[in-house]
Amino acid sequence: GESVGLHLPTLSVQEGDNSIINCAYSNSASDYFIWYKQESGKGPQFIIDIRSNMDKRQGQRVTVLLNKTVKHLSLQIAATQPGDSAVYFCAENRDAGGTSYGKLTFGQGTILTVHP
Amino acid sequence: DSGVTQTPKHLITATGQRVTLRCSPRSGDLSVYWYQQSLDQGLQFLIQYYNGEERAKGNILERFSAQQFPDLHSELNLSSLELGDSALYFCASSVGAAHYGYTFGSGTRLTVV
């Protein structure tokens, strides 16, 4: 049958606004989370990570918040710029079977569009 | 340039054929990971090699195989190709065996016709 593409959540913001991208992760045993940014025609690019023993971590213009109680992760981008337009993925280090090593399980992604 | 080199960038081939995708990791990285990105499945982990040995395996089809060579480059072999194998194939590398903040290459776009 015909494949149906993923319908990714979208977020449109004006340049200079703050952006918040949300992610629900699946495995309560996951203890490491990463946000990646993927621009058109490129591979995913590491943005920021956080371990499960933390609630918040800040980078340059980005902040990641982790709520383990509801298995929720968010990425906040301050003063969003047109160059931030991309697909943003959250990833966790555990799959349903609990395997780890270097494998990451990615979320479906959110399309961020920044309007000048 | 991420430091992870993937070749070729684009590949068009017919159903039933076999192709080989190549990946050179960043200098100093011992782990290589392969991911498939398709429109309907998103980014899916295929397989990981660390210093020449298979370390973790995902939902990789039996028609697919990979290896990591002594110089640490890796190849992903896809055989008996089907239309549904059309996707972006990414390689990533990291220093350790369980180092998650890895670096991705720019991918190989495979189109099966």
Side-chain angles (χ1 to χ4, degrees):
Chain A
E2 184 177 334
S3 294
V4 177
L6 289 173
H7 296 288
L8 301 183
T10 60
L11 177 64
S12 291
V13 300
Q14 290 296 127
E15 181 177 2
D17 287 351
N18 296 332
S19 301
I20 299 177
I21 301 170
N22 297 303
C23 174
Y25 64 91
S26 60
N27 195 332
S28 57
S30 292
D31 55 13
Y32 187 84
F33 305 88
I34 305 178
W35 281 99
Y36 279 92
K37 170 187 179 183
Q38 186 176 21
E39 297 174 275
S40 181
K42 298 184 179 180
Q45 178 186 359
F46 174 91
I47 302 173
I48 192 168
D49 58 3
I50 188 168
R51 293 200 174 273
S52 59
N53 61 354
M54 304 173 70
D55 297 323
K56 178 179 179 179
R57 188 162 189 227
Q58 289 183 293
Q60 187 176 18
R61 282 201 307 119
V62 294
T63 300
V64 55
L65 299 178
L66 176 62
N67 184 331
K68 295 181 286 295
T69 302
V70 295
K71 294 192 289 186
H72 184 268
L73 198 64
S74 68
L75 177 70
Q76 300 178 359
I77 305 174
T80 317
Q81 303 166 0
D84 295 327
S85 294
V87 180
Y88 288 80
F89 294 94
C90 65
E92 59 186 300
N93 71 330
R94 293 281 190 270
D95 65 9
T99 59
S100 55
Y101 300 110
K103 172 185 175 181
L104 288 173
T105 299
F106 283 79
Q108 292 188 349
T110 296
I111 301 172
L112 174 65
T113 303
V114 183
H115 301 283
Chain B
D1 182 11
S2 68
V4 178
T5 304
Q6 288 189 249
T7 57
K9 292 193 182 302
H10 302 277
L11 198 50
I12 301 175
T13 190
T15 55
Q17 296 297 305
R18 172 189 170 94
V19 297
T20 298
L21 312 184
R22 182 187 169 102
C23 170
S24 294
R26 284 189 320 171
S27 177
D29 285 356
L30 299 179
S31 270
V32 169
Y33 311 81
W34 287 98
Y35 281 81
Q36 180 193 58
Q37 186 175 38
S38 62
L39 283 177
D40 58 347
Q41 294 291 326
L43 265 164
Q44 298 286 319
F45 172 77
L46 295 178
I47 198 164
Q48 175 197 0
Y49 279 84
Y50 174 73
N51 204 21
E53 295 188 359
E54 182 183 305
R55 181 56 69 105
K57 208 167 187 176
N59 295 325
I60 187 168
L61 299 172
E62 287 190 7
R63 300 184 286 108
F64 295 1
S65 65
Q67 54 184 330
Q68 186 180 28
F69 294 87
D71 67 353
L72 300 176
H73 92 271
S74 178
E75 292 181 356
L76 178 67
N77 300 297
L78 314 176
S79 61
S80 302
L81 285 166
E82 302 174 0
L83 296 177
D85 297 327
S86 296
L88 272 165
Y89 291 84
F90 286 105
C91 168
S93 71
S94 69
V95 171
H99 182 88
Y100 304 105
Y102 35 76
T103 302
F104 281 85
S106 57
T108 293
R109 181 173 292 280
L110 173 66
T111 303
V112 183
V113 297

